[in-house]
Amino acid sequence: MFRNQYDSSTTTWSPQGRIHQIEYAMEAVKQGSATVGVKSKTHAVLVALKRAQNELSAHQQKCLRIAPHCGMSMAGLTADGRGLTNFMRTEALNYEMVYGSDMPVARLVDVVGSKLQTPTQIYYRRPFGVGLLIAGYDKQGPHIYQTCPSANYYSCKAMSIGSRSQSARTYLEKFLDDLEGCSKNDLVKHGLMALRETLPTDQELTEHNVTVCIVGENQKYAEYNNEETKQFLDLLDSTKKPARERAQADDAAPAEEPAAEEPAAMEE
Amino acid sequence: MLASAYSVSNGMEPSTRTLSPSVTGGSILGIMFEGGVLLAGDRLGAYGGLHRFRDIDRIIKVNDNVLITYTGDVADFQYIEEILEDEQRENDMRNDGYELGPSEYFNLMGRIMYNRRSKGNPLWNRIIVAGYDKAADKPFMGQIDSKGTVFESHLIGTGFGGFLVHPLMERELEKIDGRPTKEQATQILERALKVLYYRDKTTYNKWSIGTTEKSGSSIEASRELATNWQIAKLIVGYE
């Protein structure tokens, strides 16, 4: 999208009925590294690709626990994501204190949605520059929710957001019907295979750049990093994007990659 | 602080917290059976020793799975009732498939009562929350008092119901292995109510009986017990 005279403020409509600042905020999500969420009848799983700024730094954390029954992963401005998580943790904790039971995930996402909406309609504020995938388990079963800087939120059977996430979504669409009946490990495997689709040609899934989070029936939110991810990576036939897709991507690559690679101001 | 009509020359304002209850509701009996809970309480709002209001609802149906009742100050419970109604209304408005069950209301009331106690201005009530917990698939009953003490139990008796009748019901229940059936519980309750009415002078012979089960909750508004005061002659010392 190109600059125009209607894009300097979040309180300015364009003649086409768009608010460009919100759309620009959604671009920030697309710059972040990919994350995938999938659910079966009994579990909800998040997998995320962690980026490291440089060789000296650790891979940046993408997933956070909200409550024993839900967690999230993010793409975009992780600082914004952390602020939102803090808010969600307070809300979930408050609900548990008052009612003695887990906050329904739908209601948690609803209050986050309201919080996201506020800065899209006030002059001196900016939209949150982060998209969240929220995975949770409550009386109504497992849930995957996606939130946007636009303050829209969507309940999903499976979803992927972040850089090159369309490839993951294509994978998920193909296997959508298989997900419901999956075992926990098969579900993680599908998540990782979807995530694998988002890799650039020179990268592979390693125990350092992958996070796996699982929540569900008789399973409190559990997060797996570093050595702990080995058990899930071992389920895959390969940690690299399948060769056929790689060759195609190589042909198509040059135009796409620079835009997606390490923008300086953006963390991950 | 309230704008005071009292001149405060010595710097002390009058106490505005509840010091004693005014119109009060009496004993409540609650008995859990296989698949549900029975609650019973009379329809009396007493003004000290006077049987002032003889037709009040003391058992309220919050939703299809929750009945709440009380002993103690009627006005304080009417305030609580508003809170409960608001809570239920908000939940209904959302209409998102999540229901508040008895344990949620029990927790909520526990928090409210303890909070009031901590401020030194308690609600002068003993609240009984009963219902069917759909998530755990079993009946629920618990009590919260004005200090914020909470506990769950399969048998509850407050006031005179607690002193006199609770042991009686407990002895009957001990004869049964596990939870009683609805019919057994009903029989035990009816006998207990009779004893309560005969022995406790503050009761009034108009009773509300609440039943809550998996299929839903209902309140039989007004029942009168058949009594035979001829037995009074058997009491030693009765003229």
Side-chain angles (χ1 to χ4, degrees):
Chain A
M1 49 190 104
F2 299 106
R3 284 228 66 194
N4 54 67
Q5 53 183 223
Y6 305 107
D7 70 351
S8 9
S9 155
T10 202
T11 55
T12 305
W13 290 96
S14 82
Q16 292 76 35
R18 292 156 65 173
I19 301 178
H20 290 287
Q21 277 296 307
I22 295 178
E23 294 176 20
Y24 296 165
M26 287 163 81
E27 281 302 306
V29 177
K30 293 178 197 165
Q31 302 288 359
S33 70
T35 172
V36 173
V38 284
K39 72 174 183 184
S40 68
K41 212 188 302 186
T42 54
H43 290 82
V45 162
L46 296 171
V47 294
L49 194 60
K50 295 187 282 191
R51 243 183 228 158
Q53 287 287 77
N54 49 59
E55 274 177 38
L56 297 172
S57 311
H59 288 73
Q60 187 168 72
Q61 194 181 20
K62 294 264 285 179
C63 299
L64 289 167
R65 186 182 86 155
I66 299 165
H69 71 291
C70 70
M72 57 76 102
S73 69
M74 51 189 150
L77 266 55
T78 45
D80 282 5
R82 233 171 273 284
L84 285 172
T85 306
N86 206 40
F87 169 74
M88 287 192 278
R89 283 172 172 170
T90 313
E91 289 296 307
L93 201 60
N94 188 60
Y95 187 97
E96 199 184 320
M97 186 185 178
V98 173
Y99 298 102
S101 57
D102 293 337
M103 183 168 195
V105 185
R107 293 191 184 185
L108 180 66
V109 176
D110 193 55
V111 300
V112 174
S114 299
K115 187 156 169 86
L116 289 167
Q117 196 276 341
T118 308
T120 67
Q121 205 174 8
I122 295 183
Y123 176 58
Y124 50 86
R125 294 182 61 179
R126 63 161 177 85
F128 284 87
V130 66
L132 306 178
L133 288 182
I134 297 169
Y137 183 81
D138 59 24
K139 286 183 211 176
Q140 300 215 323
H143 302 275
I144 297 279
Y145 280 91
Q146 175 198 3
T147 71
C148 269
S150 59
N152 284 324
Y153 58 85
Y154 312 94
S155 175
C156 312
K157 293 181 193 173
M159 179 46 71
S160 175
I161 57 175
S163 180
R164 284 180 290 270
S165 56
Q166 180 53 57
S167 313
R169 286 197 290 277
T170 309
Y171 174 94
L172 292 171
E173 279 165 24
K174 200 156 50 157
F175 290 95
L176 194 59
D177 294 331
D178 296 348
L179 294 176
E180 197 182 330
C182 274
S183 66
K184 189 167 77 173
N185 275 359
D186 280 347
L187 194 63
V188 176
K189 195 170 158 190
H190 274 301
L192 288 171
M193 302 215 294
L195 192 67
R196 198 173 63 181
E197 298 291 322
T198 70
L199 287 169
T201 47
D202 55 340
Q203 262 188 46
E204 57 178 327
L205 298 178
T206 69
E207 56 190 50
H208 297 296
N209 67 11
V210 168
T211 305
V212 176
C213 315
I214 309 175
V215 69
E217 196 175 14
N218 303 319
Q219 165 84 57
K220 288 206 194 302
Y221 175 85
E223 198 178 303
Y224 302 88
N225 285 295
N226 302 314
E227 309 80 46
E228 298 161 340
T229 58
K230 274 199 100 257
Q231 55 178 305
F232 300 113
L233 292 173
D234 286 343
L235 299 170
L236 301 172
D237 55 343
S238 162
T239 53
K240 288 196 177 186
K241 191 165 172 166
R244 176 178 48 82
E245 280 85 356
R246 244 187 301 155
Q248 283 179 352
D250 280 343
D251 295 332
E256 198 193 85
E257 300 232 338
E261 229 45 84
E262 333 300 346
M266 202 87 37
E267 288 171 59
E268 226 311 68
Chain B
M1 275 289 146
L2 294 174
S4 189
Y6 306 86
S7 73
V8 280
S9 50
N10 63 352
M12 270 184 63
E13 292 209 7
S15 178
T16 55
R17 60 180 183 87
T18 309
L19 297 171
S20 59
S22 309
V23 179
T24 56
S27 303
I28 292 287
L29 299 178
I31 179 167
M32 195 182 281
F33 58 88
E34 188 66 53
V37 182
L38 277 171
L39 292 175
D42 67 14
R43 297 182 62 76
L44 178 68
Y47 189 60
L50 172 67
H51 287 199
R52 177 87 183 269
F53 302 102
R54 288 170 285 165
D55 202 14
I56 65 171
D57 288 321
R58 276 204 298 137
I59 305 180
I60 61 165
K61 178 174 158 174
V62 181
N63 64 39
D64 235 1
N65 293 306
V66 182
L67 292 177
I68 299 188
T69 182
Y70 71 102
T71 294
D73 193 71
V74 175
D76 276 354
F77 188 76
Q78 285 174 345
Y79 167 73
I80 289 169
E81 213 176 328
E82 266 176 46
I83 294 175
L84 295 169
E85 264 178 40
D86 285 348
E87 200 66 45
Q88 186 60 33
R89 187 182 305 115
E90 221 191 281
N91 191 72
D92 289 343
M93 276 196 323
R94 279 185 186 275
N95 200 24
D96 60 359
Y98 293 101
E99 299 300 323
L100 293 173
S103 69
E104 277 84 17
Y105 277 106
F106 181 67
N107 227 76
L108 174 70
M109 282 313 313
R111 288 270 143 235
I112 292 173
M113 298 297 271
Y114 183 71
N115 189 247
R116 287 290 301 251
R117 165 263 190 205
S118 299
K119 292 199 277 203
N121 185 12
L123 289 162
W124 216 280
N125 293 112
R126 200 170 280 247
I127 311 283
I128 293 94
V129 178
Y132 198 85
D133 190 336
K134 283 249 159 83
D137 198 23
K138 56 182 189 172
F140 175 99
M141 181 162 61
Q143 180 187 290
I144 308 133
D145 72 9
S146 52
K147 292 203 194 81
T149 314
V150 300
F151 66 86
E152 293 173 45
S153 179
H154 63 283
L155 184 68
I156 285 180
T158 65
F160 250 85
F163 302 140
L164 224 52
V165 169
H166 189 283
L168 190 152
M169 292 199 287
E170 210 161 29
R171 242 177 293 136
E172 292 298 308
L173 285 174
E174 274 164 13
K175 296 179 192 161
I176 300 168
D177 199 19
R179 293 268 172 272
T181 63
K182 189 174 173 186
E183 291 67 39
Q184 287 172 319
T186 309
Q187 275 183 335
I188 294 171
L189 184 70
E190 299 207 336
R191 178 159 180 246
L193 286 178
K194 274 224 172 94
V195 171
L196 185 61
Y197 178 56
Y198 279 131
R199 291 291 180 175
D200 180 6
K201 72 159 198 217
T202 66
T203 55
Y204 186 73
N205 196 7
K206 225 178 185 185
W207 302 86
S208 295
I209 318 280
T211 313
T212 174
E213 296 170 279
K214 192 165 184 173
S215 52
S217 307
S218 61
I219 303 171
E220 184 198 336
S222 187
R223 190 204 289 195
E224 208 172 296
L225 296 172
T227 56
N228 172 21
W229 287 100
Q230 298 306 310
I231 61 168
K233 294 185 193 153
L234 304 170
I235 308 292
V236 173
Y238 181 80
E239 297 305 325

